[in-house]
Amino acid sequence: MAYKKVDAKDVEVLKAICGEDRVFFGEEINEDFGRDELAEVKCMPEVLVEPLSTQMVSEVMKYAYENDIPVTPRGQGTGLVGSSVAIHGGIMVNMSKMNKILELDEENLTLTVEPGVLLMEISKFVEERDLFYPPDPGEKSATIAGNINTNAGGMRAVKYGVTRDYVRGLEVVLPNGEIMEIGGKVVKNSSGYSFKDLIVGSEGTLGIVTKAILRLLPLPKKTLSLLIPFENLETAIETVPKIIKSKAIPTAIEFMVRDTIIAAEEFLGKQFPDNSSNAYLLLTFDGNSKEEVEKAYETVAHICLEEGALDVYISETQERQEAIWSARGAFLEAIKSSTTEMDECDVVVPRNKVAEFIKYTDELQHQFNIRIRSFGHAGDGNLHVYILRDALSEEAWKKTLQDVMDCMYNKARDLRGQVSGEHGIGFAKKGFLKESLGGNHLALMRGIKSVFDPKNLLNPGKICQ
């Protein structure tokens, strides 16, 4: 479709809607809005608006719809697939200024928030009131709408599930500007198609989230972590299905290797409790009593030692837990700081295939003479594998990256995995999704997109377009 270029008249209309000081045109737009954390995909919007209400978003969207102007919704820009980059220019709607916590309903255990509220703010707010919002993606500075749009998961998914499991209701502005309320505070809902579950994970291509009703749980009273060293990663990963089968159900099961830990130590300037082994499992347990948690971790510790663990370190103190988890939280930034450029493969495979996939990525390092670093959620099979450019020329980097990515996504498909576990498809991973799903799936996706957005104005060029 031929989109209209934004001109001075359009800017004046947008200023009338959002206010003079909330509309930025051309060179007034900070260059950070031209990319996300991936950095590889770069395109500047023609105009940036910062609405403060659902009504403003609706009016912007109506105007764009009537004038065939593409619209890209955006939060903090912490994504890794170019999903919040304005590929076709047009209007970028910065939702991060709509950042109020609107209601805590302790009777229904729900929290109603605007889209720009940060994940860290939600966690702090509810935990101060002895409540718990379980989804725990690594990037705590992401907005809740960003989490919803990518169906973010995080480390606690093995026990508690992902963002989709904690979204009860949404307020959404559709591509034609209509405001639609989906779901609500009800626990069960079998009233026709679940539009809520279509919006969650749609990466802003079907509607703009302007309000979310989130499900909460009572805050667990006791938390404890185990750091378990192994001789090699294969032995560590092969232990995970046995842990799951034991029904002890850790809150999180993460895997890491020595190289990544050392990178995190150097990045943070802090020592990890142990870095002498080649591979580790990091597990967390939570519950409402010391006895409940101890029973679970003792079961798991026994399994790990039987399967070849070298030791079991119990992190009972807050200080030690923070040392471990701050290092885990710094893995991505530590890897990024060690190279000139990188890209990520965010595949998810069956839990019993994690070891095979990681072993394969190690083989690719030698085959292509390139550094590859990985860590991830062993408990749910979601792997974060980073290909590092280092000193490669631009031409060599592009070719090697494509070859390595092709190999990894083909391997994931062979193992009956999927392209993305939690970061989404956006612009950068569209080709891999096409190869993975095939024509029928993509045709259905495009059909759904065309029903919601017949003019293809909302976040065009993403996922299946």
Side-chain angles (χ1 to χ4, degrees):
M1 170 170 181
Y3 296 118
K4 180 186 183 298
K5 288 289 183 183
V6 175
D7 57 28
K9 175 178 176 273
D10 300 321
V11 173
E12 290 308 309
V13 172
L14 294 171
K15 285 182 177 179
I17 294 170
C18 297
E20 289 272 344
D21 59 341
R22 297 201 171 275
V23 177
F24 306 88
F25 183 55
E27 293 183 359
E28 299 172 344
I29 304 170
N30 189 299
E31 64 180 14
D32 287 346
F33 288 99
R35 60 176 179 83
D36 64 6
E37 282 295 313
L38 178 66
E40 175 188 312
V41 181
K42 297 179 181 179
C43 285
M44 291 297 292
E46 295 162 71
V47 62
L48 174 74
V49 301
E50 296 180 339
L52 297 177
S53 69
T54 301
Q55 192 57 43
M56 284 186 187
V57 177
S58 173
E59 289 181 29
V60 168
M61 202 68 242
K62 281 178 184 174
Y63 183 79
Y65 192 80
E66 290 165 359
N67 291 275
D68 298 332
I69 302 172
V71 175
T72 305
R74 183 181 173 99
Q76 290 288 89
T78 58
L80 290 162
V81 292
S83 194
S84 60
V85 178
I87 300 299
H88 295 280
I91 302 168
M92 176 169 282
V93 183
N94 178 8
M95 302 297 292
S96 63
K97 305 302 180 181
M98 292 177 63
N99 56 8
K100 296 185 182 68
I101 294 175
L102 300 173
E103 180 198 44
L104 172 63
D105 184 341
E106 296 193 58
E107 292 184 348
N108 286 302
L109 283 182
T110 61
L111 185 74
T112 304
V113 296
E114 289 186 327
V117 179
L118 306 185
L119 178 63
M120 67 175 76
E121 294 170 341
I122 290 172
S123 298
K124 183 174 185 292
F125 180 85
V126 299
E127 287 175 17
E128 286 174 349
R129 292 155 178 82
D130 283 333
L131 295 169
F132 184 43
Y133 178 68
D136 186 38
E139 183 51 79
K140 306 298 188 288
S141 66
T143 63
I144 188 61
N147 283 182
I148 290 167
N149 277 307
T150 56
N151 188 31
M155 291 176 269
R156 294 195 286 241
V158 62
K159 180 174 181 178
Y160 289 107
V162 296
T163 299
R164 176 175 278 116
D165 301 308
Y166 295 88
V167 177
R168 283 273 168 82
L170 295 171
E171 179 184 79
V172 178
V173 173
L174 298 177
N176 63 4
E178 287 184 26
I179 301 168
M180 185 176 182
E181 292 192 1
I182 304 167
K185 294 184 180 181
V186 295
V187 176
K188 297 167 70 176
N189 187 353
S190 188
S191 309
Y193 297 149
S194 179
F195 291 120
K196 171 179 70 71
D197 289 315
L198 270 178
I199 296 295
V200 177
S202 66
E203 300 183 50
T205 61
L206 304 181
I208 301 177
V209 173
T210 52
K211 190 186 296 181
I213 301 172
L214 307 174
R215 170 193 173 205
L216 304 177
L217 299 177
L219 182 68
K221 304 298 183 189
K222 179 73 176 173
T223 303
L224 180 144
S225 295
L226 298 182
L227 181 66
I228 307 178
F230 288 82
E231 184 65 35
N232 55 66
L233 185 58
E234 193 168 1
T235 304
I237 296 296
E238 286 175 351
T239 306
V240 173
K242 297 178 176 67
I243 295 171
I244 301 296
K245 193 176 178 181
S246 75
K247 301 179 183 176
I249 314 183
T251 311
I253 310 176
E254 300 290 293
F255 75 87
M256 57 194 75
V257 295
R258 188 168 181 270
D259 287 345
T260 305
I261 290 170
I262 290 172
E265 286 182 328
E266 293 173 354
F267 179 76
L268 293 171
K270 296 179 182 178
Q271 285 293 112
F272 197 67
D274 181 76
N275 67 7
S276 60
S277 295
N278 292 319
Y280 295 82
L281 290 182
L282 174 57
L283 301 97
T284 297
F285 301 83
D286 65 19
N288 290 317
S289 70
K290 183 179 179 182
E291 293 74 24
E292 177 187 350
V293 173
E294 285 181 349
K295 182 180 178 182
Y297 87 67
E298 285 172 1
T299 298
V300 170
H302 181 71
I303 290 169
C304 291
L305 289 170
E306 278 193 336
E307 296 301 318
L310 303 177
D311 207 337
V312 174
Y313 300 115
I314 303 172
S315 300
E316 292 180 293
T317 66
Q318 186 70 23
E319 182 181 3
R320 196 165 197 188
Q321 291 210 59
E322 284 179 2
I324 292 172
W325 286 103
S326 65
R328 169 60 182 87
F331 282 173
L332 175 56
E333 291 301 320
I335 293 170
K336 189 188 298 184
S337 71
S338 75
T339 189
T340 53
E341 189 176 341
M342 69 181 194
D343 203 340
E344 183 201 26
C345 177
D346 165 47
V347 295
V348 59
V349 298
R351 281 189 293 232
N352 63 347
K353 300 296 183 182
V354 170
E356 184 176 345
F357 189 89
I358 293 300
K359 185 177 180 182
Y360 179 70
T361 64
D362 190 49
E363 293 169 3
L364 292 178
Q365 287 195 97
H366 303 293
Q367 180 181 339
F368 290 96
N369 193 28
I370 193 168
R371 281 200 303 152
I372 298 175
R373 294 290 177 263
S374 62
F375 59 89
H377 314 311
D380 57 32
N382 185 195
L383 313 172
H384 301 305
V385 184
Y386 298 91
I387 304 95
L388 312 185
R389 177 177 173 177
D390 295 336
L392 286 178
S393 69
E394 182 74 16
E395 184 180 355
W397 164 242
K398 285 184 176 179
K399 183 181 186 311
T400 304
L401 178 64
Q402 184 65 45
D403 290 343
V404 172
M405 285 288 197
D406 284 343
C407 288
M408 288 199 291
Y409 284 113
N410 287 337
K411 183 67 173 180
R413 186 168 63 246
D414 291 344
L415 297 176
R416 304 187 71 80
Q418 297 292 339
V419 172
S420 174
E422 59 186 358
H423 292 166
I425 302 301
F427 180 80
K429 309 303 181 189
K430 289 195 305 178
F432 301 117
L433 182 71
K434 182 178 180 180
E435 291 175 16
S436 176
L437 293 184
N440 289 340
H441 282 80
L442 291 177
L444 283 170
M445 285 186 184
R446 291 183 184 119
I448 291 167
K449 168 68 171 170
S450 68
V451 169
F452 275 82
D453 186 10
K455 291 188 173 186
N456 193 27
L457 296 177
L458 190 52
N459 211 8
K462 312 295 169 56
I463 305 180
C464 60
Q465 302 165 54

